[in-house]
Amino acid sequence: MMTNGMNRRGFLSLAGAALLGGCAAPKSTKVASAAVQAELERQVASGLIAGGVCGFGDGTPPYVAGRLRRDGTPMRPDALFDLASAAKPFTAGLCALLCCQGRLDPDAPFTEYLPEHVLAKENCRITVRDLATHTGGFDNDKPYIDPDPRAFDAKLYAKRPRRPRGERHVYACSNMIYLGRIVEHLTGLDLESAARKMLWGPLGMEDTVWHAIPGNARVVETEQNGHPPIGFKGDEQARAYGAAMGNGAAFSCVADMLKFVCDLRDRRTFPKAYYDLLLTCCWEKGDVRCSFGWDMSADCRPAGWSARTVVHGGYTGNTIAVDPAHGWAGVVLTNRTGDRLAGYAGHGRLLALMARS
């Protein structure tokens, strides 16, 4: 799911269409792969990104360009990026696994699992699924940001929706923070430990973490959110609270993220219900379509990707996508320096080109 839906989606879709519309099929995989590399380098040269790594779930090596840090350190294929909101699908995945185990009902009021929320005393009808599709009525305001964890929690659980549930899709980080807290309540684990045990471990994602990693030579310098110190989370909510939260801000690399999205494509590791929940549209209104934790809207898809595609982006310069119909899975991780919408459009061009390589 993406912020500023129409503008962001339109940029991505139109950019991909302009790139591929009317083009003949590439003469060879080598030619198409060269086009991916050229596009990544063009984005660096234009100042849109400082550097990037992107990969496709077909076994080809990742594409790499630009710099890791402002000191000129070259980008490396195993670079660790601040995923920002591109880590929200981890939270959705953990919830899906708890649903498979019968421990979480996606259509139950979320306050059944978070009784400390103010709405628990008011016959709340906002469901777990509403949170995952950003349709429960909450806005993306963040009145809960506070350096004192206890004050943070008190303000988080006092936040109220601004509109009736189901009225429209409005992306809100607090929705996913609530889901992350539900995971912690049901498992008795902190969110990072739950992810390692239930999700990352089974998938072999050994380089993904939900804590700060200063001093790691592989970490990319984040260019957004106030330019945080290297190895620290860019998201202002994550910086304020410290511990892992469901709104994202994990660190990972292309190899690990490909394991995550390729497993969604191949449906090999977890119960069938896990994949069905994450990959099936469960909310649709106007031009917006969502699955549990992912965007499926037509104008968020790269050119040539099917209507079954699920996509999620991250503010620091990332997009992950899965197309079960075509058997495609792709990851674009960058340290964005230019315009946010233009950055997402660039991800769309790369994903479209990788699908043709």
Side-chain angles (χ1 to χ4, degrees):
M1 242 150 281
M2 314 299 173
T3 55
N4 296 333
M6 280 298 296
N7 289 339
R8 182 259 182 260
R9 295 178 184 126
F11 252 75
L12 193 156
S13 181
L14 290 173
L19 178 69
L20 297 178
C23 294
K27 295 180 180 180
S28 69
T29 299
K30 184 176 180 180
V31 171
S33 295
V36 178
Q37 184 65 38
E39 172 61 24
L40 187 60
E41 292 176 359
R42 186 196 68 78
Q43 293 185 24
V44 172
S46 71
L48 181 60
I49 62 176
V53 184
C54 57
F56 203 67
D58 58 0
T60 56
Y63 303 90
V64 184
R67 59 172 170 80
L68 189 84
R69 298 179 180 174
R70 292 185 179 184
D71 63 6
T73 303
M75 186 59 71
R76 47 191 291 174
D78 63 349
L80 295 166
F81 289 80
D82 176 355
L83 297 177
S85 289
K88 282 182 169 70
F90 295 153
T91 306
L94 290 169
C95 288
L97 290 171
L98 289 170
C99 291
C100 293
Q101 296 171 7
R103 302 165 69 184
L104 180 62
D105 179 355
D107 296 310
F110 83 98
T111 51
E112 287 190 11
Y113 306 99
L114 288 183
E116 56 267 62
H117 198 284
V118 65
L119 297 179
K121 301 176 182 178
E122 303 177 12
N123 192 30
C124 175
R125 295 173 58 85
I126 300 170
T127 68
V128 170
R129 193 188 303 269
D130 291 336
L131 297 182
T133 55
H134 297 280
T135 59
F138 291 103
D139 275 353
N140 199 28
D141 52 333
K142 303 174 178 71
Y144 46 82
I145 295 179
D146 194 294
D148 180 348
R150 288 175 296 182
F152 187 107
D153 285 349
K155 295 175 182 178
L156 174 69
Y157 294 134
K159 183 178 176 179
R160 291 180 173 277
R162 299 291 186 89
R163 62 188 57 79
R165 63 175 292 262
E167 181 176 281
R168 64 189 179 100
H169 165 92
V170 177
Y171 185 95
C173 285
S174 55
N175 291 327
M176 304 305 289
I177 295 176
Y178 293 141
L179 291 181
R181 295 295 174 84
I182 289 172
V183 170
E184 293 182 329
H185 281 32
L186 292 178
T187 64
L189 301 169
D190 65 87
L191 193 59
E192 181 165 24
S193 296
R196 187 172 295 111
K197 178 180 179 180
M198 299 170 61
L199 190 64
W200 302 338
L203 294 177
M205 297 170 63
E206 299 179 351
D207 286 329
T208 303
V209 299
W210 227 320
H211 59 267
I213 47 176
N216 190 313
R218 294 167 55 191
V219 181
V220 171
E221 186 166 6
T222 299
E223 300 287 345
Q224 303 300 322
N225 290 328
H227 188 230
I230 296 170
F232 288 87
K233 302 174 182 180
D235 178 73
E236 68 276 17
Q237 301 156 98
R239 287 203 304 268
Y241 197 79
M245 292 195 299
N247 67 306
F251 291 90
S252 191
C253 60
V254 161
D256 266 16
M257 295 307 291
L258 280 173
K259 291 175 182 177
F260 179 63
V261 295
C262 287
D263 178 74
L264 282 168
R265 176 196 66 187
D266 299 336
R267 305 170 68 105
R268 290 182 176 176
T269 307
F270 303 115
K272 177 179 180 295
Y274 164 86
Y275 302 103
D276 290 345
L277 183 58
L278 298 177
L279 295 173
T280 302
C281 181
C282 59
W283 194 87
E284 183 171 4
K285 198 169 189 178
D287 62 348
V288 180
R289 300 174 67 241
C290 309
S291 72
F292 191 94
W294 293 78
D295 202 323
M296 298 184 73
S297 304
D299 47 5
C300 80
R301 297 194 299 266
W305 291 55
S306 82
R308 292 176 58 192
T309 299
V310 296
V311 181
H312 210 298
Y315 184 80
T316 49
N318 315 301
T319 296
I320 59 177
V322 183
D323 182 350
H326 286 126
W328 295 341
V331 174
V332 178
L333 304 180
T334 75
N335 45 351
R336 178 175 63 82
T337 48
D339 178 75
R340 177 178 62 87
L341 296 180
Y344 282 130
H347 305 168
R349 291 193 297 272
L350 289 164
L351 288 163
L353 282 169
M354 286 191 291
R356 294 171 62 89
S357 63

